[in-house]
Amino acid sequence: MINNDDTYKTIVALSEGTYSEKRSKFIALAVPVTTVDDVKKYLTECQKKYFDARHLCYAYKLGVDGLVFRANDNGEPSGTAGKPILGQINSLNLTDVLVVVVRYFGGIKLGTSGLIVAYRTAASEALANAQIIEKTVDETISFRFEYLFLNEVMKVVKELSPETLFQEFDMDCIMKLRIRKSLMPVLKNRLEKIETLHLIPDVYKKC
């Protein structure tokens, strides 16, 4: 039985949005990321590219559960930039995404409410232009079995359609499969019923 507890939404590739108010220009960039290192790398690239900008504010959210997140105002009044950007990420229920909003100051102050609207709108535009996809949370399983039972194993693989990450067929065969989390109990149960089959530690982590 498949449920929706093992899915999450993210974006496919870089997307952009812009907003202008009282000669200030806001350039928003939404990019898929999976680690804090990815975030740091992209921020460094932005700092080099937009070195002449007044502010480079951002927010990100990582992980299936979305528990890793941060909002940064980068010199703007507290809560006027990073928080509105993060709010747009949350409103679409996205994760593994970074949104950067670059501001070129136009010489006229926008005030607290004006800044919130500007950063929120710019972030919203970038995410509206993004291709959003739903991904599944997957798990892997590794096991060993005698060649005599290969047909039984392959029957299970054909019926449940896991992704094969590694396989080695000899007198003793080894396979590593990846499947959606909600289907793992079914796959594991089917495999454990096959004679001579033994689950083994995941020694093929590179796969």
Side-chain angles (χ1 to χ4, degrees), residues 50-56 74-76 102-107 119:
Y50 301 102
F51 65 92
D52 54 342
R54 174 66 69 90
H55 299 282
L56 196 153
N74 192 231
E76 294 282 30
V102 180
R103 181 189 182 187
Y104 284 94
F105 184 53
Y119 281 101

Side-chain angles (χ1 to χ4, degrees), residues 141-145 147 150 153-154 157-158 162-170 172-178 200 204 206-207:
I141 185 170
S142 299
F143 52 94
R144 177 185 288 110
F145 58 95
Y147 187 83
L150 177 60
V153 172
M154 296 312 295
V157 171
K158 182 178 180 180
E163 179 184 0
T164 301
L165 300 179
F166 177 86
Q167 60 184 19
E168 183 177 270
F169 300 139
D170 207 328
D172 264 355
C173 303
I174 296 175
M175 292 190 74
K176 177 178 179 180
L177 306 176
R178 177 163 56 202
I200 60 176
Y204 303 97
K206 66 179 181 179
C207 299

Side-chain angles (χ1 to χ4, degrees), residues 100-121:
V100 181
V101 180
V102 180
R103 181 189 182 187
Y104 284 94
F105 184 53
I108 302 175
K109 293 184 177 181
L110 302 184
T112 300
S113 60
L115 287 172
I116 292 173
V117 169
Y119 281 101
R120 182 177 63 215
T121 304

